Amino acid sequence: MSRIRRSGEEGVTAVIVVLMMVVLIGAGAIAVDVGQIYAERGQLQNAADAGALAVADSCAKAPSCDPSLATPLANGNSLDGESTVSSVDTTSVAGQVTVTTTTKNAADHGPWLSKLFASALGNAPAVNVGATATVKLKYPTKGVTVLPLTFAPCEFQDDGLPHLIQVQSGTLKCTGLNPSNQVIPGGFGWLNPDSSTGCVVTAEVGQWSLTSAGGAVPNGCIDLFDPTKNPPLAGSTIALPVYKYTCAGMAGFSCTGSGVEYFIEKWAGFKIEAWNLTGQAKYDPLNKITSGKGIYGTFVGYAADPALFTNESSTPNGTVVVLGLIK
C-alpha cells in the first residue's frame, strides 16, 4: 500500500528548515564577526604597546618626548599595516605615556570594521575597535652594572659631549669633598664583583659598594673589555652607577686599599666609544686616549634592559629609566 503525503506537512517542514538555516547562518556570522573583532583588537593592542614604548623611549633620551614616533611603530605592529593613533598623551600624568589606537578601514580609512558577515543579514552597524597602552618611566635603584665600575660625581656631565674619564690611580682632572670634608677623587673606580668567580656586580642607590683595589680591571672581568671577545661593547650605551662620595674619614670604615667603599647616588647612561685599560683591554681606533688609562664616551639618556634591575623608583634620578607597560 502506498503512503499518501500531505502537502501541508511538507510545507511546514520546509518553513522550519528555512528558519533553522537562517538561525544557523546568523549564529555562524556572529561567531566569525566576534573572532574578527577580537583579532583586530589584539592587533591594535600590539600597535598601542609598540607606539607607547617608542614614545616613552624618546622621553628617556631627550629633554622632550616625540609623539610622532607612535604612528609608524603602531602601523608596523599591525598585521595589515593599518591603524590610527587617535591620541598620544605625555603630560596628563608625570612619567607616563599613553597611546590610544583605533581601526583604520582600508576602504575609506574610517575608524570602524565594515566587512562583517552579520551585515549580510540586515543593516548591521559598523563596529569601532580600539586599544590603549600606558608606559611608565621608572628610575632604577638596584641592579647589575654592565661594567664593574662607578663614576665620580664631578665626572658626570650630561652635556651631550664625549669626555675622557680616567681610572682613579692615574692623574685626575676633578675632585670633590665628602661629608667628612675629605677629598673625593674624580675619574672612575673599580667595583668588586659579587663573588670570587665571574664578573657580576650589583649596585644600589643609597647603599655602599666595595671597591676592587688597584688600577687594573677586576679579576674575571677582563674579557668584557677585550674587543675580540666582546665586540658589541664598542659604541654601545650601557647603564653605570655614579657615586656620591667615598668613605674617606668617615666613622666605621677603614677606607684604605680594598676597604674603600663608594656611596652610590644614581645610574647614568653612558655611550662608550673607546677605552685603554690593561693588556688586551683596549679599544681606541681614533686615538682618543693619548696617555694614562681611561674610558672615553658620552653621558646620555637611556632606557635600560629591565632584566638588569630589581628595584625602581618613580622619583627622577640620573639618566637611566626602565620602561614598564602598566595597562
Side-chain angles (χ1 to χ4, degrees):
M1 179 182 295
S2 61
R3 185 178 178 181
I4 301 174
R5 296 188 178 183
R6 298 178 183 178
S7 61
E9 291 180 354
E10 294 177 347
V12 171
T13 302
V15 170
I16 293 174
V17 170
V18 170
L19 290 175
M20 290 301 296
M21 289 181 63
V22 172
V23 172
L24 291 173
I25 292 172
I30 291 173
V32 172
D33 289 349
V34 169
Q36 183 181 353
I37 291 169
Y38 272 99
E40 180 70 12
R41 192 184 184 286
Q43 290 187 48
L44 290 173
Q45 189 62 62
N46 290 339
D49 291 350
L53 287 168
V55 176
D57 184 67
S58 75
C59 298
K61 295 177 179 178
S64 60
C65 306
D66 186 358
S68 68
L69 294 174
T71 295
L73 265 295
N75 290 340
N77 282 270
S78 298
L79 292 179
D80 58 3
E82 294 284 346
S83 66
T84 298
V85 175
S86 55
S87 68
V88 179
D89 183 1
T90 62
T91 59
S92 293
V93 180
Q96 288 189 12
V97 173
T98 297
V99 171
T100 299
T101 56
T102 57
T103 297
K104 177 182 283 188
N105 186 289
D108 57 12
H109 301 293
W112 50 76
L113 287 176
S114 60
K115 292 182 179 180
L116 298 177
F117 280 95
S119 61
L121 303 177
N123 294 323
V127 177
N128 182 281
V129 183
T132 298
T134 298
V135 173
K136 185 174 182 62
L137 284 75
K138 296 175 287 186
Y139 297 84
T141 55
K142 181 180 181 180
V144 174
T145 173
V146 175
L147 299 177
L149 59 87
T150 179
F151 293 115
C154 64
E155 300 285 4
F156 177 63
Q157 300 181 55
D158 187 19
D159 55 8
L161 300 174
H163 296 274
L164 172 61
I165 305 174
Q166 295 185 301
V167 67
Q168 288 177 348
S169 61
T171 302
L172 304 175
K173 65 178 182 291
C174 68
T175 58
L177 296 175
N178 73 356
S180 296
N181 209 36
Q182 300 294 307
V183 172
I184 303 172
F188 71 87
W190 296 112
L191 295 179
N192 200 43
D194 296 349
S195 66
S196 58
T197 59
C199 191
V200 175
V201 178
T202 302
E204 183 174 3
V205 172
Q207 301 296 322
W208 293 94
S209 286
L210 188 64
T211 188
S212 176
V217 179
N219 291 334
C221 299
I222 192 71
D223 286 353
L224 291 176
F225 296 94
D226 186 339
T228 64
K229 296 181 178 180
N230 187 22
L233 180 61
S236 66
T237 299
I238 53 181
L240 297 171
V242 177
Y243 69 87
K244 189 173 184 179
Y245 44 75
T246 67
C247 55
M250 300 180 69
F253 296 89
S254 63
C255 216
T256 58
S258 60
V260 173
E261 296 188 44
Y262 302 96
F263 189 79
I264 304 302
E265 180 181 24
K266 55 194 170 188
W267 290 83
F270 188 75
K271 183 177 181 180
I272 184 168
E273 301 171 36
W275 58 91
N276 185 4
L277 301 169
T278 303
Q280 67 267 39
K282 180 178 180 179
Y283 176 82
D284 190 12
L286 300 179
N287 295 317
K288 296 295 184 179
I289 307 171
T290 56
S291 63
K293 298 177 181 178
I295 59 177
Y296 182 84
T298 306
F299 288 102
V300 295
Y302 177 51
D305 181 359
L308 294 175
F309 298 96
T310 54
N311 292 337
E312 298 92 22
S313 169
S314 59
T315 302
N317 185 29
T319 62
V320 176
V321 300
V322 173
L323 306 180
L325 280 165
I326 61 176
K327 66 178 181 179

